[in-house]
Amino acid sequence: MLQSPWLRAARLQLHTIGFAPLLLGNVAAWYEQGVFSWPRFILSLLIGLFLHIITAFVNDVADVGTDGANLSRTPFSGGSGVLVEGRLSRADLAAGASGLAFLSLALTWVLIFVLHVHWAIALFVGWGLFSAVEYSLPPVKLAYRGGGEFLVLVTYSLALVWAGYFVQAGFAYSPLIWVFSVPIGFAVFTLITVTQFPDREADAKAGKRSLVILFGEKTTLRICALAVMLGMAGIVTSFLTGFVPVWAGVMSLLALPLTYRLAKTMLRPDLDGTALYMKLSRETLLLTLWFSLAPAAGLIVQRWMGFQGLCG
């Protein structure tokens, strides 16, 4: 049975990189502040889902010309293909993105006025809408100006983890948010970078300035290897210094073999072309998820065992 074109356009297989940091932020607030609201949690995930889908729709609309010229589409790159194949129109996706933006704002209103989350949560949602649109469209159009990877880094790490924490605990400050966000940021930066490898020829013709276009494949792979190693170094350092709860650190450290394998593949590729890009995309997606879900699971275990506080 053919998949619905709307589901294809939503590209839900990539939403996990938005779901996991939000989950971690919510769990961190429960661990540190002892507060947790299921309605707030569920609404925050729904808003995050809507923002991801808006990003996917807008990206398809902005890149329809590029995607049409791309002969190397993968599940991770090249857009969803629904516009190129004529299964939906640009007007359809624009209307869908507008409707989801309205729903995101409506749910934000519910968070503020019904569930009594501080009004500043609207700033996080506003940043999400800005990122979803200005990654691809004028006037900012960061993907075409060499800043797209860094926008994704900030949005899918610090902004989402902090939003999840804030929706539960408000303005309570937490150093853990910064510590947890660093490895996620490096991993998601690597993910968005490697997914652009198959698109580089079509993107270059369209005037995009992704890292692989600016620096070439070999140098960009070295940058990605450095990023994943820095992410793991952040976890090791925070664990050895006692700056994170013990179980959160231990479970995060289980990503060491994956990090080593990824860095080795990037520095000494044993594959090439689409096979290499698919392998890197899959494993970097897994690493991104691990850096969010492992510390979240560790915090849950730590609190259930009766420990609380930064040093466990």
Side-chain angles (χ1 to χ4, degrees):
M1 185 175 66
L2 292 176
Q3 186 182 33
S4 159
W6 288 103
L7 285 177
R8 274 186 60 188
R11 306 188 76 191
L12 295 179
Q13 70 271 21
L14 294 177
H15 175 59
T16 48
I17 67 171
F19 162 81
L22 273 173
L23 171 67
L24 176 57
N26 276 269
V27 170
W30 170 70
Y31 173 79
E32 287 196 325
Q33 306 296 330
V35 296
F36 191 86
S37 163
W38 280 103
R40 291 183 179 188
F41 173 64
I42 292 169
L43 287 191
S44 70
L45 294 187
L46 281 175
I47 293 171
L49 173 62
F50 293 160
L51 293 176
H52 167 81
I53 297 175
I54 292 169
T55 304
F57 286 1
V58 169
N59 189 254
D60 264 6
V61 169
D63 292 349
V64 61
T66 305
D67 294 342
N70 191 343
L71 303 178
S72 305
R73 184 179 301 121
T74 75
F76 302 99
S77 63
S80 68
V82 297
L83 294 184
V84 175
E85 297 169 11
R87 302 193 68 192
L88 291 173
S89 69
R90 295 180 75 181
D92 290 333
L93 291 186
S98 298
L100 290 172
F102 173 80
L103 286 176
S104 299
L105 295 174
L107 292 182
T108 303
W109 185 92
V110 173
L111 282 176
I112 295 170
F113 293 102
V114 178
L115 299 178
H116 309 295
V117 176
H118 192 279
W119 65 264
I121 191 63
L123 299 178
F124 290 101
V125 178
W127 174 262
L129 289 170
F130 170 84
S131 301
V133 174
E134 297 303 332
Y135 177 83
S136 302
L137 293 178
V140 180
K141 210 175 181 180
L142 269 177
Y144 290 79
R145 305 180 191 277
E149 295 90 346
F150 299 99
L151 179 66
V152 171
L153 185 158
V154 172
T155 300
Y156 283 86
S157 59
L158 181 61
L160 281 175
V161 178
W162 196 267
Y165 192 96
F166 189 92
V167 80
Q168 295 289 346
F171 272 112
Y173 178 72
S174 171
L176 277 183
I177 299 303
W178 300 92
V179 174
F180 287 148
S181 295
V182 168
I184 299 171
F186 280 122
V188 78
F189 166 84
T190 305
L191 175 62
I192 190 64
T193 300
V194 299
T195 59
Q196 292 170 341
F197 278 39
D199 303 341
R200 63 187 182 276
E201 291 184 10
D203 285 349
K205 292 177 182 178
K208 280 192 174 184
R209 292 293 180 266
S210 62
L211 287 181
V212 68
I213 293 172
L214 293 173
F215 298 109
E217 181 175 308
K218 189 173 183 179
T219 298
T220 305
L221 282 174
R222 289 174 177 171
I223 293 172
C224 290
L226 177 62
V228 296
M229 288 189 288
L230 286 174
M232 180 52 69
I235 290 173
V236 172
T237 301
S238 60
F239 176 73
L240 293 178
T241 57
F243 204 70
V244 295
V246 173
W247 279 102
V250 168
M251 298 188 77
S252 297
L253 286 172
L254 294 177
L256 268 169
L258 176 58
T259 305
Y260 171 77
R261 187 167 68 245
L262 260 173
K264 182 180 178 182
T265 301
M266 290 168 178
L267 295 173
R268 296 181 180 177
D270 53 355
L271 299 168
D272 57 21
T274 301
L276 173 63
Y277 308 144
M278 286 292 292
K279 178 181 180 180
L280 292 178
S281 296
R282 286 193 301 265
E283 295 193 354
T284 310
L285 176 61
L286 178 60
L287 185 69
T288 303
L289 293 176
W290 192 268
F291 282 169
S292 296
L293 298 179
L299 292 179
I300 292 171
V301 170
Q302 190 104 5
R303 189 169 174 88
W304 279 348
M305 292 178 65
F307 299 107
Q308 195 171 4
L310 288 181
C311 297

